[in-house]
Amino acid sequence: MIPYKHEPFTDFTQKENAEAIQAAIEKVNGELGKDYPLVIGGEKVTTEGKITSYNPANKEEVIGRVSKANQELAERAMQEALTAFDSWRHVDPAVRADVLFKAANIVRKRKHEFSAYLVKEAGKPWNEADADTAEAIDFMEYYARQMLELKPGKKVESRPGEYNRYDYIPLGVGIVISPWNFPFAIMAGTAVAAIVAGNTILLKPASTTPIVAAKFVEVMEEAGLPKGVLNFIPGPGAEVGDYLVDHPKTRFISFTGSRDVGLRINERASKLNEGQIWLKRVIAEMGGKDTIVVDESADLELAAQSIVKSAFGFSGQKCSACSRAVIVDSVYDTVLDRVVELTNELSVGNTEKNEHFMGPVIDASAFKKITSYFDVAKEEGRIVAGGKADDSTGYFIEPTVVADVDPKARLMQEEIFGPIVAFTKAKDFKEAIDIANNTEYGLTGAVLTRDRMNQEYARQNFHVGNLYFNRGCTGAIVGYQPFGGFNMSGTDSKAGGPDYIQLHMQAKTTSETF
Ligand code: NAD
């Protein structure tokens, strides 16, 4: 077995790589507007109602349409998943892992095509799309290996005349609900972790990015996944989501998305329904309000670059995006001025030709929500860069920097999920860490410092699931920086980490006496 290593990122400054993705975008442009079915028990089901996926950079352009599940179809999918579970759970874990290895290879061969879909459907710049595809491959490679490691079970002691074993067995049928911001990586990662562990699933992708999910479902079929293991049921969150979360046969829910929907799922999943004989397990990875802290000893150029990249990469639409910069008083003006300079150099527009650092935000409602914070920004601070938006052709918002914001202000507390970063001043490093900790979230954070004692203070006191030193706060890599947050950021499942697969399993002790 080749040891796990993360998928390298593509260098698009190389002519042949740029040409390869351009060719893939051309190919995808030729496939736009197609219809994609639901997949239930291996059967392709076409419904009259459709979810239409649009290009956020070009509102009129339809990427494709997927059939839309309702409660009746969700119930059918549940029955198919229950039936498939009876056989899939007994399939050798090594064979289940092989399906993931094969799927990873299929995607690797068609890497730029998948990235092209992410450019078109999610408005990602090439490098962000490439990272999303690479992460999807990583999840498959990493979780497959993890399953192989878990296959023999874990060591327990046995006394003379006794043989004890400790094995992991799957849970049952899981509902996998994914967000639109990593429409490939998170969707595929959460799905394959559940599957390789021996569960069967109902996959409900986000309604703004269902096409890349439909393409992934095709890959899993091609890789040899048996019918009924992965059922594809895009549909309205409230209707299909609630129905399945409440369902007595649902054994677990793997959700990634916003705080409010996560709380709703957690609450509903805790209720015992007629015919239900277990406590449902909930994996919920939710929002963030992530902070970069800079002290007076830091490399200030690196600090400014890190803030800009973490705040505005993929238009700030990452749960890990930096939306708060807390800077120690004596270097506040220097860092802020440099961030403003760098921000003013960024361009925003359609990323299809890779001419812009930033693309659009995902849809009309995101555009409305994010731009509503411009007024808040004027009340709570000073807009020193950006502050304008244009939705005439796509949902474009300028990268925006807001200075002199109070640590308790809305801009410093609420997840905006767009390209807005708020700056606040701290009198010293300890106060900076207190401010960094003053939200209800706890997902990522970064500290820029050359002071070893400050670094250690942050390691102990900055309460986030993913803390980075002397770099930005985005860009966790599967198997290298397992990802998940504290507090209202969710259950800290640590996707891409050594304990993730077990969350989809239960341990069984057997003891034989000779
Ligand atoms: P969202 O909560 O609006 O939607 C997520 C998914 O939940 C979608 O598939 C949606 O259709 C579904 N859904 C909606 N209502 C539902 C219901 N009642 N029952 C079941 N499912 C329902 O989130 P989003 O806008 O797609 O994604 C952005 C959010 O996700 C941000 O808050 C971001 O921070 C968070 N996020 C977190 C992580 C992480 O790992 N912590 C990663 C990516 C995104």
Side-chain angles (χ1 to χ4, degrees), residues 137-399:
I137 296 171
D138 288 347
F139 277 132
M140 295 182 217
E141 294 280 354
Y142 183 78
Y143 292 145
R145 283 174 178 76
Q146 228 184 22
M147 192 60 239
L148 295 178
E149 266 177 40
L150 275 184
K151 184 182 155 177
K154 289 249 167 101
K155 185 176 173 289
V156 285
E157 305 306 327
S158 295
R159 292 169 295 191
E162 185 185 59
Y163 175 39
N164 296 328
R165 277 176 53 176
Y166 186 78
D167 296 302
Y168 286 98
I169 62 169
L171 288 171
V173 175
I175 315 300
V176 175
I177 303 172
S178 55
W180 52 264
N181 70 330
F182 284 87
F184 192 15
I186 293 181
M187 178 273 310
T190 48
V192 300
I195 288 171
V196 79
N199 304 290
T200 55
I201 65 163
L202 277 59
L203 172 63
K204 200 214 82 56
S207 298
T208 35
T209 53
I211 305 300
V212 68
K215 292 273 162 201
F216 159 73
V217 173
E218 290 171 4
V219 167
M220 293 303 283
E221 193 185 334
E222 192 186 331
L225 193 68
K227 293 178 194 330
V229 175
L230 166 53
N231 300 279
F232 181 55
I233 49 153
E239 191 194 337
V240 174
D242 281 352
Y243 180 77
L244 289 173
V245 167
D246 295 347
H247 202 291
K249 296 292 182 196
T250 294
R251 182 64 185 82
F252 68 98
I253 298 138
S254 174
F255 166 81
T256 313
S258 62
R259 168 195 182 278
D260 290 355
V261 175
L263 286 178
R264 179 187 178 95
I265 288 175
N266 192 45
E267 187 183 342
R268 293 185 84 108
S270 71
K271 302 233 162 69
L272 190 65
N273 288 302
E274 176 105 30
Q276 182 182 330
I277 55 165
W278 46 60
L279 294 174
K280 288 174 188 165
R281 199 177 286 177
V282 176
I283 302 167
E285 294 309 301
M286 301 160 17
K289 187 71 189 167
D290 310 301
T291 310
I292 294 187
V293 170
V294 183
D295 79 4
E296 61 279 355
S297 72
D299 174 341
L300 300 185
E301 178 60 23
L302 177 66
Q305 299 272 0
S306 303
I307 291 168
V308 169
K309 188 161 175 271
S310 305
F312 303 132
F314 188 38
S315 311
Q317 300 175 108
K318 298 182 190 178
C319 49
S320 56
C322 168
S323 58
R324 305 157 33 102
V326 180
I327 318 290
V328 167
D329 194 356
S330 57
V331 292
Y332 179 86
D333 290 336
T334 317
V335 176
L336 177 64
D337 290 350
R338 185 64 185 136
V339 164
V340 169
E341 256 174 40
L342 290 169
T343 303
N344 287 334
E345 286 168 14
L346 303 178
S347 69
V348 187
N350 191 325
T351 55
E352 199 165 317
K353 296 202 165 63
N354 213 33
E355 287 160 346
H356 302 286
F357 174 81
M358 250 174 61
V361 299
I362 192 70
D363 62 6
S365 87
F367 182 87
K368 193 165 164 230
K369 178 184 165 194
I370 298 161
T371 52
S372 76
Y373 279 94
F374 286 161
D375 286 338
V376 180
K378 283 171 202 153
E379 271 170 38
E380 294 184 341
R382 288 184 296 127
I383 296 182
V384 287
K388 290 202 277 304
D390 176 2
D391 63 350
S392 50
T393 53
Y395 306 106
F396 298 107
I397 302 180
E398 285 183 352

Side-chain angles (χ1 to χ4, degrees), residues 87-156:
S87 48
W88 182 243
R89 66 187 167 134
H90 296 305
V91 170
D92 183 341
V95 175
R96 301 198 301 246
D98 282 344
V99 175
L100 269 58
F101 288 130
K102 173 92 195 260
N105 255 310
I106 296 170
V107 175
R108 197 175 281 116
K109 285 186 191 147
R110 291 166 49 193
K111 198 170 175 179
H112 295 314
E113 179 193 334
F114 274 93
S115 300
Y117 270 103
L118 293 164
V119 170
K120 298 290 293 188
E121 188 171 38
K124 293 205 171 197
W126 292 3
N127 62 335
E128 298 280 352
D130 183 64
D132 196 332
T133 305
E135 192 177 1
I137 296 171
D138 288 347
F139 277 132
M140 295 182 217
E141 294 280 354
Y142 183 78
Y143 292 145
R145 283 174 178 76
Q146 228 184 22
M147 192 60 239
L148 295 178
E149 266 177 40
L150 275 184
K151 184 182 155 177
K154 289 249 167 101
K155 185 176 173 289
V156 285

Side-chain angles (χ1 to χ4, degrees), residues 39-56:
V39 183
I40 299 177
E43 194 192 323
K44 314 268 186 290
V45 178
T46 303
T47 61
E48 239 168 67
K50 306 273 189 235
I51 298 172
T52 305
S53 168
Y54 295 95
N55 178 353

Side-chain angles (χ1 to χ4, degrees), residues 2-31:
I2 307 167
Y4 170 76
K5 215 169 143 201
H6 82 86
E7 186 67 17
F9 299 124
T10 311
D11 176 2
F12 291 114
T13 62
Q14 300 285 314
K15 196 160 162 268
E16 68 271 20
N17 291 337
E19 281 169 3
I21 193 166
Q22 260 153 354
I25 291 172
E26 278 306 303
K27 178 179 186 291
V28 166
N29 278 335
E31 294 170 359

